[in-house]
Amino acid sequence: GAVVSQHPSRVICKSGTSVKIECRSLDFQATTMFWYRQFPKQSLMLMATSNEGSKATYEQGVEKDKFLINHASLTLSTLTVTSAHPEDSSFYICSAEKGVTDEQFFGPGTRLTVL
Amino acid sequence: DAKTTQPNSMESNEEEPVHLPCNHSTISGTDYIHWYRQLPSQGPEYVIHGLTSNVNNRMASLAIAEDRKSSTLILHRATLRDAAVYYCILRDPYGGSQGNLIFGKGTKLSVKP
């Protein structure tokens, strides 16, 4: 199956700093990438949909100025959590798909802890 | 938007078959039925998906009711590594933003040795 990687896998930062998370599709070109967030003991929540070369589409309630998404190529999307606060601590997961009728391939997730 | 209903949890014995049910009574004609699973502290993993006909792959089988209002994920021989949360999700690939994967609570499968 296709592989999606995320970097870093774990990050701890101080409140007020910005954190960038990378999502790469390693062996295929992704038409669309997705960013999810998962709090402990909860299900995944879709944050935004990202298409290469265009602005991301954010879900209701997700602040686009706080969660900056850049989709620079068909194999790379980045999520930057700006001015992170403790309540942003969560498990961030990206996914990618080859086409709309195909399955999504998920990355291993990034555990963000904001002190 | 179409939603699914799954039991919160199920238990199985190792090396026995497991049938995970999913109800989706409001499914539309263009909704695909997707199954993903998530092991602790990992990203979800694709399991299988289908539209109308039953589907088989190396991981599992998907049995879809004739009226498509329910489906069952079948793990033929459960192993300890199959212990995970299983999500049944409807997805309309041509629905734009309505076609995004929306994760519910899923079914937590426990496998006993």
Side-chain angles (χ1 to χ4, degrees), chain A residues 38 43 97 100-101 103-104 106, chain B residues 36 38 44 46 91 93 103-104:
Chain A
Q38 186 174 33
S43 190
E97 65 180 18
V100 292
T101 60
E103 63 269 37
Q104 286 186 19
F106 286 81
Chain B
Y36 288 80
Q38 185 179 25
Y46 167 78
R91 187 183 187 204
F103 285 78

Side-chain angles (χ1 to χ4, degrees), chain A residues 2-42:
Chain A
V3 178
V4 174
S5 70
Q6 280 185 243
H7 177 80
S9 58
R10 186 182 298 268
V11 58
I12 301 173
C13 69
K14 293 182 179 180
S15 185
T17 60
S18 294
V19 175
K20 179 185 283 189
I21 303 170
E22 288 188 353
C23 176
R24 293 181 185 271
S25 56
L26 297 185
D27 51 0
F28 68 100
Q29 292 186 328
T31 55
T32 308
M33 287 183 165
F34 305 83
W35 286 96
Y36 297 82
R37 179 169 55 182
Q38 186 174 33
F39 293 108
K41 299 190 185 300
Q42 295 187 22

Side-chain angles (χ1 to χ4, degrees), chain B residues 2 11-12 17 20 24-25 29 31 34 38 43 48 54-57 65 73-74 80 87-88 93-95 98-100:
Chain B
E11 278 191 354
S12 171
L20 296 165
H24 28 79
S25 58
D31 283 329
H34 285 248
Q38 185 179 25
I48 202 167
N54 293 343
V55 186
N56 299 296
N57 66 20
L73 179 70
I74 303 167
L80 297 179
Y87 298 97
C88 170
Y94 305 106
Q98 298 299 317
N100 291 328

Side-chain angles (χ1 to χ4, degrees), chain B residues 9-111:
Chain B
S9 62
M10 289 184 65
E11 278 191 354
S12 171
N13 294 316
E14 195 175 13
E15 301 204 353
E16 290 186 356
V18 181
H19 290 232
L20 296 165
C22 181
N23 288 318
H24 28 79
S25 58
T26 58
I27 190 170
S28 74
T30 50
D31 283 329
Y32 281 72
I33 302 161
H34 285 248
W35 283 83
Y36 288 80
R37 71 180 185 182
Q38 185 179 25
L39 280 66
S41 298
Q42 295 187 27
E45 175 186 29
Y46 167 78
V47 179
I48 202 167
H49 75 289
L51 182 61
T52 56
S53 303
N54 293 343
V55 186
N56 299 296
N57 66 20
R58 63 175 180 82
M59 287 182 68
S61 295
L62 175 61
I64 301 173
E66 198 169 332
D67 63 4
R68 300 208 326 126
K69 294 185 176 182
S70 65
S71 61
T72 302
L73 179 70
I74 303 167
L75 306 179
H76 296 286
R77 288 183 66 198
T79 69
L80 297 179
R81 289 177 295 178
D82 290 324
V85 178
Y86 286 78
Y87 298 97
C88 170
I89 306 170
L90 299 184
R91 187 183 187 204
D92 179 356
Y94 305 106
S97 61
Q98 298 299 317
N100 291 328
L101 286 180
I102 304 299
F103 285 78
K105 295 183 178 179
T107 296
K108 184 174 183 179
L109 176 66
S110 302
V111 180

